[in-house]
Amino acid sequence: MRLCPLLLIAACLALWACSEKNEKSEPEAIGLPIAQSAVYVGRARCATCHTEEAAAYANSHHDLALQSVIPDTVLGAFDGSTLEHDGVTWTFRREGDDFLVETNESGSTIGHRVAKVFGVAPLQQYLVEFPGGRMQTLPTAWDSRPTEEGGQRWYHIYPDEHIPIGDELHWQGINQTWNSMCAECHSTDLVRGWNAEDSAFHTTWVEEDVSCEACHGPGSLHAQWAEAGGIEDAPPGLFLVAGLGDKDDGKWVTQAETGLPVRIPARSASAELDTCAKCHSRRRALTDGHAPGEPFLNGYEPSLLLAGLYHNDGQILDEVYVWGSFVQSRMHAAGVSCRDCHDPHSNQLVAQGNALCTQCHDSGTFDRETHYHHAAGTPGSSCVDCHMASRDYMVIDGRRDHSFRVPRPDLASVLMAPDACSACHAEGSSWAAEQIAEWAGEKTLPPHPGEILARVRAGELEALDELEGLIQDKSASDIMRATALFELGLRLEPPHMGTLIEAAHDSSALVRAAAARATESMPPESRAPLIGHLLDDDVRAVRVSAARSLASAPLTSLDPSLHAAHGRAVQEARNAELANGERPGSWLNLGVLEADLGHFEQAEQATRRAWKMDPDLAAAGVNLADILRMQGREEESREVLIKALERHPNNPSLHHALGLAWVRADNPEHAVEHLGKAAAWDPSDPRLALVHGLCLSQLERHGEAIFALENALQMAPTNGDLRLALIDSLRAQERWDEALTHGQELLRQRPEDARVVQLLREIQQNADR
């Protein structure tokens, strides 16, 4: 059996996804003419008419998102206070109007002048300037909560971690660079301005905080029309984004029980959600400078419910903000929008306590002890206690899950996810599940889609059919269906192709983008008939996903009518990486794209740049070696890998790549050494064990191959390629009974594979002799 060539590895691959229904946006609703032709005029001009909104906005979190350094804006105690963390002393002091932070981290004391203050509650952070236009976020923050809540102190935002200099998460590293990681959502009309020529930021903004036009778009034409006395006959598109010109806002009626309003019917919330999502989501930018009013997915690729970011059931885990949880919710499906609960100008809730929820939910039914089963006024009696669990980020910043889920302690062990009940009750999930079952009586709780994801991620082959059902279930949220497609793409086999075809024509851009990415595990020549049409999709994020997948596909496999769209979408994919050009991973991704297109010179340049920017980026060494290999430069390829291993001697990807290089050089003894190290250092990757086992078999070391492959199968029991390689080694040693057992299991996994049927027949014949 021929060894598989090394696949390009794209580190820091974009967190991706997409959005709402594939409907063309109406300029009147989202203000596209304004965004295209107007200019920014500043808050003061807006406030001359919008006095109430301006008053509400003053001193809001948006208003105080980023501030210049003056005594009134600095909350921290710069009075000689010190903070000890991980053997490093931080000192905070003041010299006149300068606020200084000193650290002895590098061995000698170095002082940094605070350039900007960042945020206000429950913490305030501080920015310091570095060469190349960078501003970095200090890891020491001021806890601005009241003293009685444990605040008014300095603390370290990574209290339990040792983060060395050079780590990307270190405060001087790329993941703490304000220009690229924070700035866009703390200022108005911000352009990161990374310049690849001088490797520097030239960041610009109109107003340093999140002002009116950050959400509503540039207002010059609107202001001119208003100042000219126009009130009624506004031309289409003159009203700005986020609903200011939304004349179809539904009819508000008052609930008799609470006196609170309910909108009938629900308005379209897509433009409003797109406005908020650009900052309140875990996403990756596709452009540098996304104009307010443009659809969210034309500027960003938001993350799906990926393992490590979310729990199996979609609860927030990592710092994913709000969008990803909210779009899972029944509230979102019903048309509820952000401003139904949050005043967009003051950033405060529009009602307090359970009254916020009883704007829509009948208080006589839900704001009762018979519903929440806790004493009124105690923890557990508030709607958010059970339906919006909170998780702390940056140590003290509690953020609520916006999926508005029903607590499911009965599934906690299956989902490997927390439940709201056990967060308060030490008795645990089983006890809580019994309590809920007693309250519910004969009512049965429905299955949860997270159960399917949990089983698939645990390697249960039988769950793939249920995963297909989840993808096809239009009652499930689009983000859950798209996540299921992502998981299917990791395990894509011919029986599931019909589902993929349907998904590529789905009404949800989120699902279409996921379908495009799922095809990356298919042979390149098979992709174009399935997703070629997505190159001309209305949504940029979908087009970019399709371009990435089809870059390695032969152009001849694509309908000629789509060749021009292919070129445009590929350029959009390039631009998406260049828009994030301050990150080595983006150059690495660009190298992958160019290599897939057969542009090896450009691929080599991009990959070498990534490696130069981050010498610890081992994936750059792997990719560069493979790009050289594709050009027939085998000796240079091996030299790159050997050099990379000097810096990363225990990196499994580098050992795997060098092992394959020695295979191509017809040196299996050298090859098996490195392939064995790769498999040993990353037992979670069955591909590494497979190639190691195949190489052992090639050397006729079948006993070692059997041992290695059996161990790998314990980690990945549904991996058919591992089992097939094991069967080959068992046959070589004439261990027919064992081969028969594995053959029968392989047939159970691949019942329609004629090759497996024939193989099993041959094994059976030998076993019967």
Side-chain angles (χ1 to χ4, degrees):
M1 184 176 295
R2 185 173 64 87
L3 294 179
C4 297
L6 179 64
L7 297 176
L8 288 172
I9 298 172
C12 305
L13 195 60
L15 293 171
W16 57 281
C18 271
S19 95
E20 306 304 308
K21 305 299 180 185
N22 182 30
E23 298 173 352
K24 295 203 173 184
S25 304
E26 298 179 5
E28 293 83 356
I30 63 172
L32 288 181
I34 296 296
Q36 291 172 351
S37 58
V39 296
Y40 289 83
V41 296
R43 178 193 330 169
R45 193 165 176 189
C46 303
T48 58
C49 290
H50 302 285
T51 54
E52 290 184 13
E53 290 83 357
Y57 167 84
N59 295 316
S60 68
H61 280 208
H62 281 173
D63 184 21
L64 305 178
L66 184 73
Q67 300 178 83
S68 297
V69 178
I70 59 175
D72 287 346
T73 63
V74 179
L75 303 181
F78 284 82
D79 55 1
S81 300
T82 61
L83 176 68
E84 301 282 339
H85 176 264
D86 196 26
V88 176
T89 300
W90 299 81
T91 303
F92 310 90
R93 63 185 184 85
R94 180 176 173 182
E95 290 184 358
D97 290 335
D98 288 336
F99 294 80
L100 304 175
V101 180
E102 296 175 343
T103 174
N104 63 354
E105 184 177 28
S106 60
S108 58
T109 300
I110 298 176
H112 299 277
R113 185 180 64 85
V114 175
K116 296 286 183 182
V117 297
F118 195 41
V120 61
L123 66 148
Q124 186 175 72
Q125 290 183 275
Y126 302 91
L127 304 178
V128 297
E129 294 177 328
F130 274 76
R134 284 188 299 137
M135 282 203 284
Q136 297 293 131
T137 308
L138 290 170
T140 49
W142 178 254
D143 182 343
S144 59
R145 298 174 301 167
T147 305
E148 56 269 24
E149 296 179 17
Q152 300 300 299
R153 65 186 177 100
W154 290 104
Y155 78 100
H156 199 286
I157 62 173
Y158 300 108
D160 302 319
E161 297 183 50
H162 170 68
I163 303 175
I165 296 175
D167 191 297
E168 63 182 15
L169 201 58
H170 184 270
W171 71 273
Q172 296 180 34
I174 192 168
N175 281 355
Q176 304 295 343
T177 299
W178 167 84
N179 311 67
S180 58
M181 296 298 293
C182 320
E184 183 180 16
C185 291
H186 286 256
S187 298
T188 300
D189 189 31
L190 185 129
V191 177
R192 296 191 301 277
W194 168 259
N195 188 304
E197 296 300 321
D198 60 3
S199 296
F201 284 101
H202 303 272
T203 304
T204 62
W205 60 83
V206 172
E207 293 184 86
E208 68 179 9
D209 57 4
V210 182
S211 196
C212 312
E213 293 162 296
C215 300
H216 296 289
S220 61
L221 297 184
H222 177 82
Q224 291 168 15
W225 167 80
E227 289 164 356
I231 294 297
E232 293 298 333
D233 300 320
L238 190 59
F239 287 102
L240 307 186
V241 300
L244 269 182
D246 190 350
K247 298 175 182 177
D248 183 18
D249 204 30
K251 180 181 179 182
W252 291 87
V253 298
T254 302
Q255 280 187 319
E257 299 90 344
T258 65
L260 293 173
V262 177
R263 187 180 57 247
I264 301 175
R267 64 169 176 259
S268 171
S270 58
E272 180 180 329
L273 183 60
D274 278 2
T275 300
C276 301
K278 65 176 288 187
C279 288
H280 296 276
S281 66
R282 176 83 169 245
R283 81 288 187 277
R284 184 175 188 264
L286 295 173
T287 63
D288 185 5
H290 180 69
E294 290 187 12
F296 178 43
L297 300 190
N298 276 349
Y300 302 93
E301 292 177 309
S303 172
L304 295 181
L305 309 179
L306 304 181
L309 297 181
Y310 294 84
H311 291 286
N312 286 324
D313 61 350
Q315 289 188 71
I316 59 173
L317 175 58
D318 202 10
E319 193 169 13
V320 290
Y321 309 103
V322 173
W323 179 87
S325 59
F326 179 65
V327 295
Q328 298 176 56
S329 70
R330 292 171 64 186
M331 308 299 178
H332 171 252
V336 172
S337 66
C338 309
R339 61 188 165 123
D340 285 321
C341 298
H342 303 273
D343 184 295
H345 300 106
S346 69
N347 305 154
Q348 300 299 310
L349 296 175
V350 299
Q352 297 302 311
N354 289 354
L356 184 66
C357 302
T358 55
Q359 291 181 102
C360 296
H361 299 280
D362 177 41
S363 62
T365 302
F366 296 103
D367 197 10
R368 292 280 188 272
E369 291 186 22
T370 53
H371 174 71
Y372 45 68
H373 297 278
H374 292 74
T378 66
S381 64
S382 172
C383 304
V384 297
D385 289 342
C386 298
H387 300 292
M388 294 185 72
S390 181
R391 186 177 179 88
D392 287 340
Y393 297 93
M394 304 179 78
V395 184
I396 62 171
D397 189 5
R399 303 178 195 169
R400 293 196 179 275
D401 189 305
H402 277 62
S403 54
F404 305 104
R405 62 186 60 245
V406 174
R408 294 297 300 271
D410 58 310
L411 296 179
S413 60
V414 175
L415 297 172
M416 301 296 291
D419 67 273
C421 305
S422 299
C424 292
H425 296 280
E427 293 89 341
S429 298
S430 297
W431 171 86
E434 291 174 3
Q435 297 298 309
I436 291 178
E438 183 178 328
W439 301 337
E442 297 182 358
K443 185 187 298 183
T444 58
L445 295 170
H448 192 286
E451 297 177 74
I452 300 172
L453 292 183
R455 292 173 58 206
V456 168
R457 289 168 177 170
E460 291 188 30
L461 189 68
E462 297 81 0
L464 287 178
D465 290 340
E466 296 176 60
L467 192 68
E468 280 194 283
L470 176 56
I471 294 167
Q472 297 165 354
D473 182 5
K474 297 299 179 72
S475 68
S477 66
D478 289 346
I479 195 170
M480 181 62 77
R481 295 172 59 222
T483 303
L485 262 169
F486 173 83
E487 298 291 343
L488 184 68
L490 299 178
R491 305 159 180 86
L492 192 60
E493 294 186 4
H496 310 297
M497 297 304 296
T499 298
L500 189 59
I501 293 170
E502 291 181 21
H505 291 83
D506 199 87
S507 61
S508 165
L510 186 71
V511 173
R512 295 197 304 278
R517 297 302 297 271
T519 63
E520 292 183 13
S521 60
M522 297 173 55
E525 63 276 6
S526 303
R527 301 173 192 172
L530 298 181
I531 64 166
H533 64 286
L534 297 180
L535 293 167
D536 203 26
D537 197 271
D538 290 340
V539 178
R540 179 182 283 138
V542 179
R543 297 192 299 269
V544 168
S545 293
R548 288 171 180 154
S549 181
L550 292 172
S552 59
L555 197 59
T556 54
S557 67
L558 191 66
D559 189 301
S561 66
L562 290 169
H563 285 187
H566 178 269
R568 292 191 298 269
V570 164
Q571 189 57 48
E572 287 184 307
R574 283 195 187 98
N575 292 342
E577 302 305 337
L578 294 172
N580 296 279
E582 73 279 2
R583 304 191 68 83
S586 292
W587 290 97
L588 192 69
N589 290 342
L590 184 59
V592 172
L593 179 68
E594 299 294 359
D596 282 346
L597 291 165
H599 303 159
F600 297 122
E601 182 178 351
Q602 294 92 327
E604 182 179 344
Q605 290 174 355
T607 308
R608 287 189 184 278
R609 184 177 190 115
W611 207 5
K612 182 179 180 180
M613 291 173 72
D614 184 1
D616 287 323
L617 187 58
V622 174
N623 284 13
L624 178 58
D626 210 46
I627 292 166
L628 295 171
R629 175 196 64 77
M630 287 187 280
Q631 299 176 77
R633 297 156 65 181
E634 288 282 4
E635 186 173 347
E636 290 180 72
S637 175
R638 291 195 298 272
E639 288 174 356
V640 164
L641 293 169
I642 291 168
K643 176 184 176 182
L645 277 168
E646 291 175 358
R647 195 175 186 101
H648 304 282
N650 299 330
N651 185 280
S653 296
L654 289 169
H655 278 290
H656 181 68
L658 185 55
L660 291 179
W662 284 121
V663 168
R664 294 190 299 272
D666 199 23
N667 192 330
E669 294 293 345
H670 274 51
V672 78
E673 174 190 352
H674 290 285
L675 295 173
K677 289 179 179 179
W681 281 325
D682 187 3
S684 66
D685 188 344
R687 178 180 61 108
L688 305 183
L690 173 63
V691 178
H692 179 223
L694 292 172
C695 193
L696 288 168
S697 295
Q698 182 184 2
L699 292 169
E700 298 185 358
R701 292 160 59 176
H702 297 296
E704 294 175 68
I706 291 168
F707 179 78
L709 293 166
E710 285 181 337
N711 284 340
L713 271 173
Q714 291 180 10
M715 298 285 293
T718 64
N719 190 294
D721 291 334
L722 280 175
R723 200 171 297 277
L724 187 59
L726 175 58
I727 291 169
D728 284 344
S729 289
L730 290 169
R731 292 170 69 198
Q733 291 205 323
E734 299 185 355
R735 293 162 62 172
W736 301 111
D737 289 343
E738 294 171 74
L740 181 61
T741 299
H742 285 286
Q744 290 169 340
E745 175 61 23
L746 186 62
L747 183 63
R748 189 182 71 81
Q749 296 175 5
R750 300 179 177 180
E752 299 178 8
D753 193 327
R755 296 169 301 174
V756 174
V757 173
Q758 179 61 32
L759 175 64
L760 188 59
R761 185 178 295 117
E762 293 174 5
I763 295 172
Q764 183 71 63
Q765 290 172 354
N766 283 283
D768 291 341
R769 290 176 184 172

